[in-house]
Amino acid sequence: MKNAVIAEMFDRMADVLELKGEISFKVNAYRRASRAIQNLEEDIETIWNEERLHQIPGIGTGLAKKIDEYLRTDHMSKYDEIVQSVPPELVDLLHIQNLGPKTLAVAYQKLHVENLEDLKKVLENGSLAQLPNMGEKKIENIRKGIALREKGRERISLGIALPLVERLIHELRKIPHVGRIYPAGSVRRMCETVGDIDILVEAEESERVIDTFGSFSEITRMISRGKTKSSVLIEGDLQVDLRVIPRDSFGAALQYFTGSKAHNVRLRRIAKKQGCQINEYGIFRGEKKIGGAKEEDIYEALGMQWIPPELREDRGEIDLAMESRLPDLVELYDINGDFHVHTRWSDGSASIEKMAEKAAALGYHFIGICDHSQSAGYANGLTPERILEQIREIERLNTQNNDICILAGTEVDILADGRLDYSDDLLARLNIVIAAVHSGFKKRVTERMIAAARNPHVTILAHPTGRLLFQREGYIVDLEQVIRACVDTGTALEINCNEERLDLNDRHIRFAKEQGAKLAIGTDAHHPHQMDYLRLGLGMARRGCCEKKDVLNCLSVNTLRSH
Ligand SMILES: [Zn+2]
Ligand SMILES: [Zn+2]
């Protein structure tokens, strides 16, 4: 499918035009088109073949011509023209938080800033600060943005890494005579960001596995290739290390390469005290190997419970395992539904039926339809009339279909003045109300969120910190106070599964749980396939020590309805 490529091209054209200070309707037209194409369920080539390009919202004659040119010739002359009109690295700078296109445009035009090095230089020598409208605060914020970006560049979001890993594992499974296959490292621990990817394959004959792996089409470069280990780059610059391990030491290797480092250091120290030694080949007492085929061998030999990978961070899990007091972490099969999905009624790409079908296919019992509220104009938010109409539509669908219970909900904006975007009378008619800050990130966010939590109709606070991985630090909010208000009022805090959000994160979840708060996992899916991302939120919940009782998604439909 060329959908993603074309969407990306339009987005980039918008970036460049913005940088050159072009009129905003042109920029917006490209952005809208990019989004519409990204959200398509069909292959754009099919649409093109059937001459239906003009039916895509936001695609007029001019844009349709550009798509047509690209699909015919693999080139878009307007794209080349626009993108080549500025230095290539300049556009990347737009992704730095706090550095808007206007500032960057001036820096480019007046100070000839063309890349990150140039930008750092003009920050250092003070010439950026001398431009009009550049206060000290703004300069400081740009510095912070650069630091955030540089920190992020070496890692990627778990939401990007996990599907890649699963694709590779799917291919590896087809090789004859392989046994267990696991990701190790931060992917297995479900860390929110991932550096390198480690994959372990159980096989006695390593060469065939290494050879086949080397032929995968995903690989962009081979870094090194040995008898039992191969390192490659995939998707540009993501490093994957594949190790082939024989059966009798697979468990020990899996334990060793899963980490974390801190967890393993602690474990080795305990082993030593008990007269044992652990390494990637097994657990040994003196010369004698006492285990290593299974990961459980290692923990059992040390007299403790097997520790789920998500907990292996040396945050107290080893002591709990020694006392057989590990939490009984929530599992995927405990999950009865998804609270937060969007449909075509606002900015989603599928109908209510399609989202419900997907939920049923996932084995859920309920799905929460939570489209945007009226003030979210950018996302086609629902007026009170339209949401009432949507409630009627959901009632109609529920009487037709017994497979799944569709909950009528909303993702209602918490407005800048602290009020919610719908009246209490209207909110009272919904099964779930998710309240969300989408604007005014610096305006008394704590008070606004607490007020929302206190509203008796609000079920869940959406993405409670507002952070975006590698891009945005989040609202200025006193999360402790907000969590306390949620505990008082019985309002749940969301674990938003969007790959860029993962909000709350593991530490916040653990803190919230310890305070007695309830958590609600929501995928925030705008497309049926995004509902698969629930496992990201589940990973965060498990890292935050959540058990079934802590997570609202594990409730039955009847309990939820009476909530
Ligand atoms: Zn939201
Ligand atoms: Zn949402």
Side-chain angles (χ1 to χ4, degrees):
M1 292 230 296
K2 301 214 165 109
N3 300 28
V5 184
I6 297 175
E8 168 87 35
M9 287 172 99
F10 283 155
D11 220 21
R12 193 134 273 229
M13 286 157 88
D15 285 345
V16 175
L17 291 179
E18 200 161 12
L19 216 47
K20 295 172 79 179
E22 295 260 352
I23 15 179
S24 61
F25 78 80
K26 261 193 188 174
V27 176
N28 288 340
Y30 281 121
R31 292 245 190 265
R32 229 184 357 256
S34 169
R35 209 161 149 172
I37 294 169
Q38 233 166 38
N39 284 336
L40 284 177
E41 281 175 68
E42 273 180 283
D43 189 335
I44 195 162
E45 239 168 319
T46 315
I47 301 179
W48 170 66
N49 273 326
E50 296 171 2
E51 297 181 9
R52 291 187 283 113
L53 282 179
H54 61 279
Q55 287 174 4
I56 305 173
I59 305 289
T61 322
L63 289 170
K65 260 193 195 152
K66 293 183 180 76
I67 298 171
D68 173 68
E69 184 196 351
Y70 180 74
L71 290 175
R72 271 187 299 108
T73 65
D74 237 14
H75 267 284
M76 194 189 292
S77 34
K78 192 71 186 177
Y79 172 82
D80 295 342
E81 179 196 318
I82 289 181
V83 168
Q84 282 162 18
S85 66
V86 295
E89 287 170 72
L90 183 66
V91 186
D92 289 335
L93 298 184
L94 273 177
H95 300 293
I96 292 173
Q97 188 189 6
N98 307 325
L99 179 70
K102 283 207 187 89
T103 308
L104 186 57
V106 182
Y108 167 54
Q109 285 154 19
K110 298 250 158 81
L111 304 173
H112 312 292
V113 167
E114 295 190 355
N115 54 41
L116 188 60
E117 287 317 302
D118 293 347
L119 180 64
K120 283 189 189 164
K121 213 181 297 163
V122 297
L123 274 167
E124 282 321 306
N125 68 22
S127 49
L128 190 66
Q130 279 162 22
L131 291 177
N133 304 323
M134 291 297 293
E136 220 170 276
K137 188 98 194 257
K138 202 162 170 186
I139 293 283
E140 191 46 44
N141 282 337
I142 294 173
R143 275 213 182 90
K144 274 195 202 148
I146 292 176
L148 200 66
R149 180 86 188 152
E150 292 196 315
K151 209 165 67 191
R153 244 203 319 212
E154 298 128 39
R155 302 183 72 82
I156 60 167
S157 158
L158 178 66
I160 307 280
L162 201 59
L164 279 174
V165 169
E166 284 168 352
R167 228 165 59 212
L168 293 173
I169 290 181
H170 180 77
E171 290 304 310
L172 287 164
R173 281 217 189 287
K174 296 180 186 163
I175 305 174
H177 311 298
V178 303
R180 292 165 283 179
I181 306 180
Y182 278 98
S186 42
V187 173
R188 184 155 181 249
R189 301 202 314 280
M190 298 294 277
C191 299
E192 61 187 33
T193 66
V194 170
D196 296 348
I197 290 174
D198 293 292
I199 298 177
L200 305 190
V201 178
E202 180 195 342
E204 304 305 317
E205 235 190 87
S206 60
E207 260 151 290
R208 193 209 311 250
V209 179
I210 297 285
D211 279 350
T212 316
F213 179 62
S215 70
F216 282 4
S217 60
E218 284 88 353
I219 295 174
T220 46
R221 193 159 76 82
M222 176 72 66
I223 303 172
S224 69
R225 179 194 174 130
K227 268 192 128 165
T228 60
K229 186 192 162 195
S230 168
S231 293
V232 301
L233 295 184
I234 60 169
E235 306 264 317
D237 52 2
L238 187 62
Q239 184 170 337
V240 180
D241 294 339
L242 181 91
R243 290 185 169 82
V244 186
I245 320 272
R247 200 195 68 82
D248 68 344
S249 55
F250 189 82
L254 185 58
Q255 197 289 321
Y256 180 87
F257 289 110
T258 297
S260 67
K261 207 168 188 174
H263 173 88
N264 283 355
V265 165
R266 186 83 211 285
L267 212 60
R268 257 173 272 165
R269 209 177 295 147
I270 290 171
K272 209 169 164 195
K273 267 194 206 150
Q274 299 187 10
C276 294
Q277 204 203 338
I278 315 172
N279 57 32
E280 57 182 290
Y281 306 104
I283 176 159
F284 300 84
R285 180 160 282 137
E287 292 291 294
K288 191 174 180 303
K289 181 165 169 176
I290 55 174
K294 290 193 294 139
E295 201 178 43
E296 287 84 346
D297 296 348
I298 314 284
Y299 292 96
E300 263 166 36
L302 298 174
M304 61 178 87
Q305 288 174 286
W306 173 81
I307 300 176
E310 294 93 334
L311 296 181
R312 298 183 197 169
E313 300 291 347
D314 193 22
R315 293 179 189 160
E317 74 281 4
I318 292 178
D319 292 333
L320 289 175
M322 294 282 251
E323 299 160 12
S324 294
R325 289 201 300 124
L326 280 176
D328 187 7
L329 298 184
V330 54
E331 302 276 356
L332 191 56
Y333 58 73
D334 295 324
I335 300 291
N336 288 329
D338 188 339
F339 284 110
H340 185 167
V341 311
H342 295 271
T343 72
R344 222 176 250 166
W345 285 70
S346 67
D347 62 347
S349 67
S351 60
I352 301 172
E353 292 100 308
K354 277 267 177 300
M355 297 306 270
E357 251 170 49
K358 172 71 183 183
L362 289 168
Y364 293 163
H365 302 156
F366 66 83
I367 178 166
I369 303 294
C370 291
D371 277 310
H372 289 283
S373 61
Q374 53 187 339
S375 291
Y378 59 89
N380 191 26
L382 273 55
T383 59
E385 293 73 33
R386 285 186 68 224
I387 193 164
L388 287 171
E389 195 188 322
Q390 192 187 41
I391 294 172
R392 284 193 295 275
E393 170 71 3
I394 289 173
E395 280 166 0
R396 190 181 67 79
L397 291 169
N398 276 331
T399 53
Q400 278 178 4
N401 181 345
N402 296 320
D403 290 351
I404 189 140
C405 172
I406 307 173
L407 300 171
T410 177
E411 180 176 11
V412 65
D413 270 35
I414 301 174
L415 302 173
D417 62 8
R419 283 177 309 128
L420 296 178
D421 200 17
Y422 289 133
S423 71
D424 279 2
D425 286 347
L426 180 51
L427 295 177
R429 305 187 55 167
L430 295 159
N431 303 118
I432 25 172
V433 173
I434 303 182
V437 172
H438 286 132
S439 59
F441 295 167
K442 291 178 184 160
K443 282 191 196 138
R444 303 173 17 256
V445 179
T446 309
E447 286 97 314
R448 286 157 64 204
M449 285 177 71
I450 290 176
R454 294 230 166 96
N455 182 309
H457 304 297
V458 171
T459 336
I460 300 165
L461 289 187
H463 37 75
T465 74
R467 69 95 176 254
L468 293 180
L469 278 170
F470 313 129
Q471 289 176 50
R472 189 171 84 195
E473 295 215 39
Y475 327 129
I476 299 174
V477 61
D478 182 340
L479 199 63
E480 260 188 70
Q481 274 196 55
V482 173
I483 289 172
R484 241 173 270 132
C486 285
V487 175
D488 282 350
T489 57
T491 312
L493 292 129
E494 185 178 57
I495 304 175
N496 189 295
C497 308
N498 179 293
E499 68 195 36
E500 290 182 336
R501 290 191 184 274
L502 298 179
D503 178 13
L504 296 175
N505 71 14
D506 54 352
R507 283 174 189 271
H508 293 144
I509 293 167
R510 184 163 175 175
F511 176 77
K513 178 212 146 97
E514 283 167 1
Q515 301 299 306
K518 295 280 181 247
L519 285 308
I521 306 175
T523 57
D524 208 347
H526 286 67
H527 189 287
H529 77 80
Q530 288 170 345
M531 289 172 69
D532 292 326
Y533 284 135
L534 190 121
R535 59 212 155 108
L536 296 179
L538 184 73
M540 295 304 116
R542 288 170 59 88
R543 286 180 61 81
C545 299
C546 283
E547 302 183 275
K548 201 174 156 180
K549 63 174 167 46
D550 303 312
V551 179
L552 243 43
N553 307 61
C554 304
L555 293 177
S556 71
V557 174
N558 288 337
T559 324
L560 264 178
R561 275 215 182 109
S562 59
H563 225 62

